[in-house]
Amino acid sequence: MKQIYENYTAEDQNVWKILFDRQFPNLPEAATGEFMTGLKKVNFTAEKIPNFEETNEILRGLTGWEIYAVPGIVEDDLFFDLMANKKFPATTWVRKMSQLDYLEEPDMFHDVFAHIPLLANQAFVDFLQAISKFGQEWIEDPWAIHLLSRIYWFTIEFGLIRENGELKIYGAGVLSSSGETKYSLGNEPEHHEYDVDHILDTTYRKDKMQDRYFIIDSYEQLYNSIPEIKEKIELRLKEKAAAVN
Ligand SMILES: [Fe+2]
């Protein structure tokens, strides 16, 4: 499908502006520097809903990635196939004014505002592409996909990073929520160092804010953990197979 830009209404543009203006002031303090840099590079502003064609021209020049318009949440196989080919699936719809704070399914403010700026960072997209290739490889095994989704969840969606001794956010699930932005960096939730085994053993919840977050030291650390992710998931699959037999 395609983003049909003319279809956005004045309310859509206004909702985008409200969400952008509400979250933007929190970002210098809370978001990873790479998100701020990326936001500038892809040219997102409060004044207009991003036009995918324009954004893609910029992204292709930076990391070779692009936004790929989808109607909503896509099946795992398509999700991984797209990202293994440097295409990030994103919806084209914007929530209604009545849904500013609660959504059952991610809209563009999540998929685009929160996810796309980091696609300008090479180590980050290399990590995303590598775990997507694992997803393709393991697509027939629901347990493998579930374990992989824990990695995705606690990094791409809810990851924190330490920058110059300070905690910052890079996970899009946090960056698209002004409430969770403040909460995630505070004293209430647990903060753990990035640890593949620990994440693989951690269940997550989709219906409320996270009770724990994992902290990386750099995007290279994420990328360099790729062999370990593969090894640790394969080990768990073997153990499970052995327990069944
Ligand atoms: Fe997301």
Side-chain angles (χ1 to χ4, degrees):
M1 70 174 277
K2 268 191 115 167
Q3 180 191 37
I4 304 169
Y5 202 85
E6 310 78 72
N7 284 359
Y8 291 117
T9 62
E11 180 181 341
D12 292 332
Q13 294 285 356
N14 198 19
V15 166
W16 174 269
K17 181 170 169 42
I18 290 170
L19 292 168
F20 194 106
D21 282 341
R22 191 166 69 171
Q23 182 62 334
F24 192 72
N26 300 326
L27 296 176
E29 183 91 334
T32 165
E34 284 300 313
F35 183 84
M36 303 308 287
T37 308
L39 200 59
K40 229 180 248 164
K41 283 184 179 165
V42 295
N43 226 353
F44 288 174
T45 68
E47 306 318 315
K48 103 183 226 294
I49 292 173
N51 180 315
F52 289 4
E53 267 177 40
E54 293 168 14
T55 309
N56 283 345
E57 216 160 291
I58 300 170
L59 273 180
R60 279 190 217 108
L62 294 170
T63 54
W65 276 64
E66 56 184 69
I67 311 176
Y68 185 90
V70 292
I73 292 176
V74 297
E75 295 294 329
D76 287 344
D77 54 349
L78 178 59
F79 184 69
F80 292 126
D81 286 348
L82 287 170
M83 293 198 299
N85 290 293
K86 305 185 183 179
K87 294 180 199 313
F88 192 87
T91 52
T92 59
W93 64 281
V94 185
R95 68 192 75 177
K96 295 285 159 223
M97 201 64 88
S98 57
Q99 303 169 298
L100 281 184
D101 289 301
Y102 182 74
L103 277 183
E104 286 186 11
E105 204 180 296
D107 71 340
M108 256 187 95
F109 192 70
H110 172 82
D111 284 352
V112 177
F113 174 84
H115 274 290
I116 300 306
L118 275 169
L119 299 187
N121 178 288
Q122 196 63 52
F124 182 84
V125 289
D126 288 346
F127 172 75
L128 192 52
Q129 186 177 23
I131 59 172
S132 303
K133 285 183 177 170
F134 291 160
Q136 286 182 306
E137 199 179 310
W138 294 328
I139 195 68
E140 302 296 338
D141 187 331
W143 181 237
I145 297 299
H146 182 73
L147 289 172
L148 193 59
S149 78
R150 290 181 179 171
I151 298 286
Y152 187 88
W153 188 263
F154 287 111
T155 58
I156 308 295
E157 292 294 351
F158 291 93
L160 302 183
I161 184 166
R162 195 176 291 104
E163 284 174 350
N164 303 317
E166 284 182 53
L167 268 195
K168 302 279 182 174
I169 303 159
Y170 71 92
V174 189
L175 289 171
S176 56
S177 154
S178 54
E180 190 153 358
T181 291
K182 291 197 182 84
Y183 164 87
S184 67
L185 300 176
N187 292 328
E188 214 178 318
E190 292 174 26
H191 294 117
H192 299 278
E193 296 303 311
Y194 179 69
D195 178 324
V196 171
D197 266 320
H198 190 169
I199 292 178
L200 290 176
D201 289 332
T202 305
T203 55
Y204 59 83
R205 297 207 34 186
K206 288 188 168 177
D207 57 344
K208 58 175 197 136
M209 290 205 259
Q210 307 305 304
D211 54 13
R212 71 191 64 193
Y213 299 89
F214 291 88
I215 306 162
I216 58 171
D217 283 312
S218 67
Y219 298 103
E220 286 70 25
Q221 181 190 10
L222 268 188
Y223 183 69
N224 292 336
S225 73
I226 287 289
E228 191 190 353
I229 292 171
K230 184 172 171 64
E231 192 186 305
K232 297 278 169 69
I233 291 183
E234 282 175 349
L235 186 66
R236 280 167 168 75
L237 297 177
K238 258 187 222 151
E239 285 167 356
K240 189 163 180 269
V244 170
N245 292 327

